[in-house]
Amino acid sequence: MAVNISVVGAGIIGLSTALTLADRGHAVTVYDPAPVSGASHYAGGMLAPTAEVVYKQDPLFPLMAASAALYPDLIKLTAKYSDLPTGYRTEGTLVVARDVADKTHLTELSEYQEKHGMAVEKVTTRQARGLEPALSPAIHGAVRIAGDHQVQPRLFTKALMDACANAGVTFKAKRVDNVEQLDGDQVVVANGLGARDLVPFLDLRPVYGDVLHVRVPDHQYPLLNHVVRGFVEDRPIYLIPREDHTLTIGATTREDGRNQPQVQGVHQLLRDAIEVVPAVEECDFLEAGAGARPGTPDDLPYIGRINERTVVSTGYFRHGILLAALGARCGAGVVEKQEPFINLSACDPRRHECN
């Protein structure tokens, strides 16, 4: 039965959920005074269920893999209602090690990924530089991950907003201070860190990350084709190539409450990016930004129903772009009171209520 649904938050989670619900015939209204101005605006956009693996976060792995498998459907759904580009690319990821110690790190991580059933292709540094000639000749190790893809978040969220509008979603530039003030038969709380103001028992914290954008000069384009991730003195770095001749470079992780890009973080990212891809030195510097990602104590999202009227979908931390496809499918399913297609017990919104 079609119902009236209010979605709080117009980031990638709220927009993809709203589009999914509208496509299913529901009347959807999205509330956000500043759409796509939060974590989605600063995100890298890697769809990397393998490269993004973090040790001892096993409950997250099946969610990441399931969402990556769902992503082509979300891209198709967006294209059903919008002709705008999404920046969806499927070249895959190269992960490289800068020195011998970094190679040990990369080897151990690859073994961990393979132990958990993930496909990682070991390549020689010569093969890696054959795929990406701009890589430093000084790298000491490399692997290729064909199944890790990407979107360009600022393009994708713009396309999602356009698709939502064309699918009949209503947008209201209004701050929501209490879900009781909303008219919807069902409410989806998907406004990232703002969800803690509406659902006080959610344990959310801001985790900031500095991220950079540079432009590749015409004579160097394309500088890269694959997403390149690296370890430089054990620090992670990533470089994401875009079709608009830009590169996104990221990202630091800090919990200092400072919402502006930090000089140390910008310096570190540029230094490490140049260590991996020396020609970054010749790029035009465009922008430094700092986004606040909504983290939870166990770094797993909150997805589920908290009462007969309210559904929560937030706390996606570093994986909001990747998990958007799963969040949309599961969030819409919870609204419609369907059994989830995947075990969501680890994402129970009330799991930290007594802490």
Side-chain angles (χ1 to χ4, degrees):
M1 181 185 298
V3 297
N4 293 318
I5 302 167
S6 296
V7 176
V8 184
I12 194 168
I13 301 298
L15 292 172
S16 55
T17 303
L19 180 60
T20 301
L21 289 165
D23 184 63
R24 295 183 182 185
H26 300 289
V28 183
T29 302
V30 174
Y31 294 83
D32 196 320
V36 200
S37 61
S40 299
H41 181 74
Y42 298 99
M46 293 171 293
L47 311 177
T50 299
E52 287 280 296
V53 159
V54 175
Y55 291 108
K56 297 183 179 180
Q57 287 194 342
D58 296 25
L60 189 58
F61 301 164
L63 305 181
M64 295 164 70
S67 196
L70 289 171
Y71 235 93
D73 292 338
L74 180 57
I75 297 295
K76 289 177 184 176
L77 178 60
T78 306
K80 178 180 176 180
Y81 294 99
S82 176
D83 295 327
L84 296 180
T86 61
Y88 183 56
R89 295 178 59 169
T90 61
E91 290 89 342
T93 297
L94 281 175
V95 189
V96 302
R98 177 62 182 85
D99 59 26
V100 175
D102 293 323
K103 183 178 180 180
T104 299
H105 181 165
L106 179 59
T107 299
E108 292 172 349
L109 178 60
S110 300
E111 291 171 352
Y112 184 78
Q113 291 162 331
E114 290 174 336
K115 179 181 177 181
H116 287 81
M118 302 172 195
V120 178
E121 177 190 359
K122 296 179 177 65
V123 297
T124 65
T125 55
R126 183 176 181 177
Q127 289 171 324
R129 296 192 70 239
L131 292 168
E132 293 294 352
L135 286 172
S136 168
I139 61 173
H140 277 68
V143 300
R144 184 168 184 250
I145 305 173
D148 284 359
H149 302 154
Q150 64 149 302
V151 291
Q152 191 165 350
R154 296 182 188 181
L155 291 182
F156 189 30
T157 49
K158 185 176 180 181
L160 280 169
M161 287 196 69
D162 185 56
C164 283
N166 293 333
V169 173
T170 300
F171 285 90
K172 293 191 176 181
K174 176 182 177 182
R175 174 184 168 88
V176 175
D177 297 311
N178 189 326
V179 295
E180 299 303 320
Q181 73 188 69
L182 300 175
D183 296 329
D185 302 311
Q186 293 281 295
V187 176
V188 180
V189 178
N191 58 331
L193 286 166
R196 60 187 174 179
D197 298 325
L198 301 178
V199 185
F201 61 74
L202 298 180
D203 193 348
L204 294 166
R205 73 190 193 283
V207 183
Y208 289 92
D210 303 308
V211 63
L212 313 178
H213 298 275
V214 302
R215 178 178 288 114
V216 178
D218 290 344
H219 70 276
Q220 287 186 315
Y221 182 81
L223 184 60
L224 297 172
N225 288 300
H226 295 73
V227 172
V228 170
R229 304 176 70 103
F231 295 106
V232 179
E233 297 178 357
D234 214 34
R235 294 183 300 272
I237 184 76
Y238 62 72
L239 300 92
I240 310 173
R242 311 294 195 188
E243 292 182 354
D244 61 3
H245 289 219
T246 65
L247 285 175
T248 299
I249 302 171
T252 62
T253 297
R254 51 186 174 80
E255 299 189 39
D256 55 9
R258 302 171 70 183
N259 62 2
Q260 296 296 317
Q262 301 299 298
V263 170
Q264 179 182 6
V266 173
H267 173 69
Q268 173 189 310
L269 290 173
L270 287 175
R271 179 187 59 203
D272 292 349
I274 291 166
E275 284 289 320
V276 173
V277 181
V280 167
E281 280 189 321
E282 299 182 38
C283 291
D284 302 325
F285 189 87
L286 298 179
E287 176 187 331
R293 297 160 290 197
T296 65
D298 53 14
D299 294 336
L300 288 162
Y302 293 126
I303 310 172
R305 182 175 292 280
I306 60 171
N307 57 46
E308 280 300 308
R309 184 169 175 259
T310 308
V311 173
V312 167
S313 185
T314 189
Y316 289 86
F317 188 35
R318 296 169 54 246
H319 308 294
I321 304 297
L322 168 60
L323 292 178
L326 178 134
R329 180 74 63 89
C330 291
V334 174
V335 167
E336 295 179 334
K337 300 184 179 179
Q338 301 173 358
E339 285 296 316
F341 76 96
I342 191 170
N343 185 356
L344 291 177
S345 58
C347 303
D348 183 355
R350 294 186 178 275
R351 65 187 183 277
H352 300 127
E353 187 172 5
C354 297
N355 294 344

